[in-house]
Amino acid sequence: MTTTSTDIPTTGGTSHKELAAWVEEVAALTTPDSIVWCDGSDEEWDRLTQKLVDAGTFVKLDRKPNSFWATSDPADVARVEDRTFICTKDAEGAGPTNHWMAPDEMKGIMSDLYRGCMKGRTMYVIPFVMGHLESDTPMYGVELTDSEYVVCSMRIMARIGSKILEKMEETDAPYVKCLHSVGAPLAEGQQDVAWPCSETKYISHFPEERMIWSFGSGYGGNALLGKKCYALRIASAMAHDEGWLAEHMLILKLTSPEGKVHFIAAAFPSACGKTNLAMIEPTIPGWKAEMVGDDIAWMRFRNGKLYAVNPENGLFGVAPGTGYPTNQNAMHAIEKGNSIFTNVARTLDGDVWWEGMTDEAPDELIDWRGDTWTPESENKAAHPNSRFCTPITQCPVTAPEFDDPNGVPISAILFGGRRKTTIPLVTEARDWNHGTFIGSTVSSETTAAAAGAVGVVRRDPMAMLPFIGYNAGDYLQHWVNLGREHADAMPKVFLVNWFRRDEDGGFAWPGFGENSRVLKWVVERLEGTGEGVETPIGTVPAEGALDVDGLDMEPGQLEQATKFDVEEWKAEIPLIEEWFAQFGDKLPQELRDELDGLKKRLDA
Ligand code: GTP
Ligand code: SPV
Ligand code: MN
């Protein structure tokens, strides 16, 4: 084994020469005080979590085993889409939906930022694999970071450590280079802050080099680079080159009362219900649901079918709204501990709390800003994008198939968003191209998962708007092309909306566990038994086909949740046209044809 030959004190090392050289190069640029190669052990976790407690970043929770509470800098609470770049040689490679900068220019700017940026800190080398180490094509990455918070979070979210590095060494494996710094060097003797970060932030992707450079943020998708940066942005570019799909989708295993199993994938934008649907507790008798993944699906063709794996190993779930009535399985997962909670509130006896966990708030809390909070306080106790970070295997409904390196065969894809109007509870696409059209026009009100305005309707194709690592027109064409090349393997496509409002402004549909009623109709459609009615936008459940047995809904509510309104849809057309216009020649002809077909059907 060779170690890096810088003068920097180093623990660990590698015989993977190219990796050793890269680590050395980054260390020479960023000048950390020491280098630690992460082994992923319990001992390492204990050491780093203790270091974070000592630094004031973590508070150990007395009421949850091996769990910690962290609050971030108030300016570092969500993904920063404005600061996220796709750096391809040509601008067209990133356009029209991404921010672009030429690779050399970005490297120049960021190298200046990185120069000396780890001074006073330790640089950690995290070898990881997204998906299974036993996969035919293990998808390696190495994240270099100066944040212990990131190391601990990555240990939950991905498979990391010595076992991964050994396999990389054996095969001299290629890997995605992930460089991360909080961008807060410490001068000699300078006291650190609890959440170091920088006002200047860049989340940059170099898809042609399979490389990620992140600077200035320590939170979530900005910093845990295996997740959105690799498993979606870089992987989507790989998938385009190699003929597969890297998607922002949950993977659900459904077993009917007759014991028939179906796997369903679903793409909803950030904070629009993936984790909740992935852990659904069906309210209808006899149905069983289990989770394979809650955020990302990598889908490849195998034996004439589309197989999906969850590349992650942990859950990074939105905390607010998660409680026993809405998502008991998430609650049971976090009860087992081994978790990091960020920007939620802390109870005085050392537990966590957030809006929606219990009907009544505790009398007194420490809120996410670290201030005393009472039910009379005007501010929310937990930040709307506060999250739990928990091993996926702790969830009581994690399916055994989560461990299958080949994944599971997908028979339906659901698209959905958060729309107060227009989009009915469930619609089935006419065929693959129509399904691709539906996916390409998904619209949703923005949420707190990204910095910026909340509640603004925007198009979010396949819930991938912030995550497509290349030209979005090429991405849509890729969907169309795969459907042509693998016609028999393609899942049926559905559009859902749990978020339509009634006249009083409340949700028309009860959602959560009751969404199992929609899943039941989807399965019945797959099996050819569910009855549907054709409308201009697709097939909707026939009168009485949606199982609403025992569902307590006000008169008119179900109608409001499920109705197709031709006028609302006519109003949608100019918005879709405007959305499509930016793609120019890159808009697949098939999607133009779908739009024309929809217009004609609406006018008929
Ligand atoms: P990301 O992790 O950001 O990708 O979010 P996600 O898509 O996994 O969303 P998640 O399941 O965490 O839900 C986000 C918010 O939507 C939470 O506050 C949930 O309580 C709420 N939510 C989820 N499902 C439903 C539903 O069926 N109905 C209603 N009304 N709210 C829901
Ligand atoms: C999302 O925003 O879609 C998330 C959270 O899943 S983050 O990991 O921060 O991207
Ligand atoms: Mn997500």
Side-chain angles (χ1 to χ4, degrees):
M1 181 170 278
T2 59
T3 48
T4 47
S5 63
T6 50
D7 314 335
I8 303 169
T10 301
T11 310
T14 185
S15 61
H16 190 303
K17 288 206 176 61
E18 194 272 344
L19 172 57
W22 178 58
V23 171
E24 217 172 297
E25 184 195 323
V26 171
L29 177 65
T30 59
T31 64
D33 287 6
S34 58
I35 300 172
V36 170
W37 288 71
C38 297
D39 58 18
S41 64
D42 290 346
E43 183 280 327
E44 182 175 84
W45 165 271
D46 290 341
R47 183 164 43 82
L48 294 183
T49 52
Q50 187 56 50
K51 195 170 172 182
L52 285 161
V53 169
D54 295 341
T57 313
F58 273 179
V59 170
K60 191 163 185 350
L61 293 168
D62 291 337
R63 304 289 298 268
K64 294 251 184 304
N66 192 28
S67 295
F68 301 88
W69 177 75
T71 56
S72 75
D73 185 298
D76 194 20
V77 293
R79 284 184 294 100
V80 282
E81 294 180 4
D82 278 358
R83 308 299 306 160
T84 299
F85 294 83
I86 300 297
C87 304
T88 44
K89 285 195 193 83
D90 302 317
E92 200 183 59
T97 56
N98 287 304
H99 300 293
W100 174 83
M101 198 186 286
D104 286 347
E105 191 185 350
M106 182 60 85
K107 284 181 192 168
I109 293 170
M110 291 192 73
S111 295
D112 287 344
L113 292 169
Y114 280 137
R115 194 162 294 114
C117 74
M118 294 192 188
K119 197 175 163 3
R121 301 190 184 279
T122 299
M123 181 170 89
Y124 296 90
V125 183
I126 315 170
F128 66 92
V129 66
M130 297 310 289
H132 294 73
L133 193 55
E134 303 75 28
S135 154
D136 302 344
T137 47
M139 302 285 278
Y140 296 108
V142 176
E143 178 159 351
L144 307 184
T145 180
D146 53 7
S147 162
E148 287 84 11
Y149 171 90
V150 166
V151 177
C152 293
S153 303
M154 280 292 286
R155 185 180 188 256
I156 295 172
M157 294 307 299
R159 297 163 176 88
I160 75 160
S162 305
K163 252 176 63 185
I164 317 297
L165 182 60
E166 278 159 29
K167 186 103 185 274
M168 287 175 67
E169 288 168 342
E170 272 166 34
T171 54
D172 223 0
Y175 61 97
V176 173
K177 291 182 168 66
C178 305
L179 171 52
H180 170 254
S181 173
V182 292
L186 293 167
E188 199 74 39
Q190 184 186 338
Q191 181 64 37
D192 201 1
V193 294
W195 187 275
C197 62
S198 166
E199 251 176 68
T200 306
K201 293 178 175 62
Y202 282 96
I203 319 297
S204 302
H205 304 73
F206 304 89
E208 288 143 348
E209 288 175 73
R210 317 289 198 227
M211 184 168 84
I212 301 154
W213 282 12
S214 166
F215 182 91
S217 166
Y219 193 55
N222 298 330
L224 315 179
L225 301 186
K227 195 171 174 52
K228 295 305 167 43
C229 297
Y230 179 164
L232 289 180
R233 297 197 191 95
I234 297 294
S236 65
M238 294 170 139
H240 178 251
D241 294 350
E242 299 166 6
W244 52 283
L245 290 164
E247 299 296 332
H248 193 198
M249 292 181 183
L250 66 94
I251 310 165
L252 179 67
K253 177 184 179 186
L254 269 180
T255 309
S256 70
E258 298 75 40
K260 270 204 91 176
V261 172
H262 289 280
F263 294 97
I264 290 176
F268 310 152
S270 301
C272 293
K274 288 182 299 303
T275 299
N276 276 270
L277 188 64
M279 297 183 193
I280 190 172
E281 238 352 89
T283 51
I284 42 176
W287 287 77
K288 186 172 168 191
E290 293 160 277
M291 167 174 62
V292 178
D294 82 315
D295 197 52
I296 300 178
W298 282 355
M299 303 192 282
R300 296 169 197 265
F301 297 95
R302 198 183 284 280
N303 311 323
K305 290 198 172 125
L306 187 61
Y307 275 75
V309 297
N310 170 11
E312 301 192 277
N313 205 28
L315 309 164
F316 188 59
V318 176
T322 307
Y324 286 96
T326 54
N327 190 349
Q328 62 169 79
N329 292 317
M331 296 304 289
H332 289 310
I334 65 176
E335 265 165 30
K336 297 189 183 120
N338 313 308
S339 299
I340 300 168
F341 298 90
T342 308
N343 290 339
V344 304
R346 175 165 59 94
T347 65
L348 300 189
D349 62 349
D351 208 339
V352 286
W353 191 85
W354 46 73
E355 280 74 14
M357 180 194 275
T358 52
D359 286 341
E360 243 174 84
D363 292 339
E364 191 179 335
L365 293 165
I366 311 297
D367 70 15
W368 74 275
R369 291 169 183 273
D371 296 330
T372 298
W373 184 95
T374 68
E376 283 73 49
S377 298
E378 275 174 28
N379 297 323
K380 291 225 181 331
H383 186 278
N385 192 39
S386 56
R387 296 199 177 235
F388 55 86
C389 180
T390 300
I392 192 167
T393 49
Q394 288 184 191
C395 183
V397 295
T398 298
E401 288 83 355
F402 167 73
D403 287 324
D404 191 334
N406 292 333
V408 296
I410 298 297
S411 40
I413 290 175
L414 273 45
F415 289 117
R418 204 178 260 277
R419 285 293 303 269
K420 292 189 171 82
T421 64
T422 318
I423 316 288
L425 183 62
V426 58
T427 317
E428 182 187 334
R430 300 152 68 90
D431 54 27
W432 180 256
N433 280 351
H434 183 227
T436 301
F437 171 78
I438 283 177
S440 75
T441 58
V442 163
S443 55
S444 195
E445 291 138 21
T446 50
T447 68
V454 169
V456 182
V457 174
R458 72 172 185 186
R459 299 287 138 182
D460 192 341
M462 285 75 175
M464 281 285 282
L465 180 69
F467 308 121
I468 301 170
Y470 59 103
N471 185 294
D474 290 337
Y475 168 84
L476 297 178
Q477 189 68 58
H478 184 54
W479 269 73
V480 170
N481 293 350
L482 290 182
R484 194 167 47 230
E485 289 156 25
H486 304 272
D488 296 337
M490 286 337 220
K492 275 190 187 286
V493 177
F494 297 81
L495 178 64
V496 301
N497 180 20
W498 315 144
F499 299 96
R500 209 172 193 184
R501 302 296 179 123
D502 57 22
E503 269 144 36
D504 304 331
F507 293 111
W509 175 250
F512 300 103
E514 306 295 3
N515 294 334
S516 55
R517 298 170 187 276
V518 174
L519 297 175
K520 179 181 174 186
W521 184 74
V522 165
V523 166
E524 286 168 351
R525 293 295 294 170
L526 296 176
E527 294 182 348
T529 56
E531 277 189 68
V533 177
E534 270 205 46
T535 75
I537 60 168
T539 306
V540 300
E543 179 94 39
L546 194 68
D547 181 351
V548 290
D549 248 24
L551 188 61
D552 188 20
M553 284 176 87
E554 313 250 314
Q557 289 275 105
L558 183 65
E559 223 263 301
Q560 172 62 21
T562 55
K563 75 174 177 198
F564 155 72
D565 183 314
V566 74
E567 293 311 319
E568 280 183 326
W569 273 91
K570 280 185 178 168
E572 198 76 2
I573 296 296
L575 305 176
I576 296 175
E577 281 172 338
E578 188 190 337
W579 163 244
F580 273 0
Q582 67 180 317
F583 294 100
D585 292 347
K586 290 266 189 197
L587 183 74
Q589 183 58 42
E590 291 81 354
L591 299 188
R592 255 182 244 283
D593 296 344
E594 288 297 332
L595 177 57
D596 288 343
L598 174 61
K599 280 199 281 196
K600 284 203 191 94
R601 294 193 300 271
L602 287 172
D603 287 336

